[in-house]
Amino acid sequence: MSVITVQTTPIEGQKPGTSGLRKKTRIFMQPHFLENFVQSIIDAIGGVQGKTLVLGGDGRYFNDRAAQVILRMCAAGGAAKMIVGRNALLSTPAASNLIRKRAADGGFIMSASHNPGGENEDFGLKFNGANGGPAPESVTDRIFVRTQDITEYRIFEGQDIDLSRIGTATLGGMEIDIVDPVADYATLMEQLFDFGAIRDLLSSGFTLRFDAMHAVTGPYATEILQNRLGAARDSVVNATPLPDFGGGHPDPNPVWAKDLMDVMMAKDAPDFGAASDGDGDRNMILGRGIYVTPSDSLAVLAANAHHAPGYAAGLSGVARSMPTSRAADLVAKKAGIGSYETPTGWKFFGNLLDAGRVTLCGEESAGTGSDHVREKDGLWAVLLWLNILAARKQSVQQILQDHWSEYGRNYYSRHDYEAVPSDKANALIERLRAMLNDLPGQECAGLTVEAADDFAYHDPIDESVSKHQGIRISFTDGSRIVMRLSGTGTEGATLRVYLERYQPADGRLDMSVDEALLPVIQAAEEIAQIRQHTDRDKPDVTT
Ligand code: G1P
Ligand code: ZN
């Protein structure tokens, strides 16, 4: 057994996106593709000599093979120790927690999140730093530069490691610690939430359904919700992680988690419903007969987090990604705490969390989290909701209605146009950029443009600037349109159009979302000529 050096040449298209590198699985399986990218990560972080790193993934197709390659390459690089989830499984938040708890130097997470899995679907890999969070842009830029001038990679020749048993193994001089993927994470949740109160709620007839979508949260939800909190045996459904997620999109939204939606909209629905995504960092929250938008969920959690022991002292501040509705800002304003608007992607919250400026953060794309880890966290959001429900002894619907009558309501929706030819999607954005200066003052669909810009983020902690983070158009009545291209898609371009309209507490709080957003949708079409650019007469996915 020895380290071999393999000559290679740069492979195009290895630029990390919003969350690591995502590609069709078959591309990842091409000769040298994974190895080039892993070596580029290793080089970009200054090597792995003597380091301790965490490794795990969401169990999708190729997860097991990729894990063996990463282990061998880290061994070749002289890593001291790898902490690996059993069967190379770790939810993204659990990986973040392990990095922090074991004071590791970072970790590799194998996932394409909510994208479908399988030989013909998607795979992904990202690197998180010592704080447990996604590598910042400075690092991902270095990784990309390296992928463009790589000439060789180093890999240890050896047998596959049996990752199915908890315990230790060695690869050359590297120690491998195979751990229970759930245990440390479940302990952390017990520290943050009042498990006693939630247990009481669940034994008082309150019913719940958690849909793990055949993805990684199955074992986590079964252990925490059923075994530790006493939810009924059939509460967690689709609980076994499958390499192809049962053929579905493991994306917890009303479109892809339609089964759960149908159950929750029925007359005999459980009191509470939730789902998580492929790698366990997203969440969808439902009450009987009601869907809570992720933007509203963030605001409600911010207003009520003090009910949970881990947040009893209050929040230091709240951050949301720019396209997320401004509902959380209203909570922060009333509470007199800081609120921040960051570009799309969890990596932008890292500095604010590390500096203690914010306790809670969230994105409209079903992501909510706190300073307990440096990733968004699906089950965490579910448990915080359950803790609040246990403390307030009200239904999800009542809590939401109380919230709107206190803060007003931000009607919100996102329209996605998927697999649009990249040149056409770019043309739409370019055209908007060229129009920005002339938009203020213009009237569209009865709304008057107040301001328009291409969002640039000035990080208040490290003062880095991230430009071109999305087109923002706001109107004098408080409505807003945001348009940006996805950084996680693997086919053509995905145009995301985010629509928001605000009604103050004494305004109309009971409209349907479609009705409320009609003028905003019309204005978006008028300004951006979406139909013409995408050749579609309606979005592919509306959430
Ligand atoms: C999407 C979401 C974004 C999220 C990311 C990773 O990125 O919109 O909020 O952080 O997935 O889960 P996008 O495809 O829009 O670049
Ligand atoms: Zn995810």
Side-chain angles (χ1 to χ4, degrees), residues 18 282 344-345 363-365 376 414 484 486-488 496:
T18 311
R282 293 187 173 200
T344 296
E363 295 193 275
E364 52 63 44
S365 54
K376 55 189 180 254
R414 184 177 101 185
R484 57 179 283 279
S486 157
T488 59
R496 302 205 195 284

Side-chain angles (χ1 to χ4, degrees), residues 113-114 277 279-282 376:
S113 187
H114 51 288
D277 72 329
D279 61 329
D281 57 358
R282 293 187 173 200
K376 55 189 180 254

Side-chain angles (χ1 to χ4, degrees), residues 5 54 64 106 156 170 177 220 307 346 350 486 503 522 538:
T5 301
V54 167
D64 48 354
F156 194 87
T170 53
D177 199 358
Y220 293 85
H307 291 296
W346 210 258
S486 157
Q503 284 287 297
Q522 278 171 0
K538 60 175 176 31

Side-chain angles (χ1 to χ4, degrees), residues 19 153 255 301 309 424:
S19 183
Y153 60 82
V255 176
L301 294 182
K424 294 199 173 171

Side-chain angles (χ1 to χ4, degrees), residues 53 71 79-84 168-177:
L53 297 159
L71 286 174
K81 184 174 181 174
M82 298 289 287
I83 302 166
V84 190
T168 54
T170 53
L171 194 58
M174 183 177 84
E175 192 187 323
I176 300 174
D177 199 358

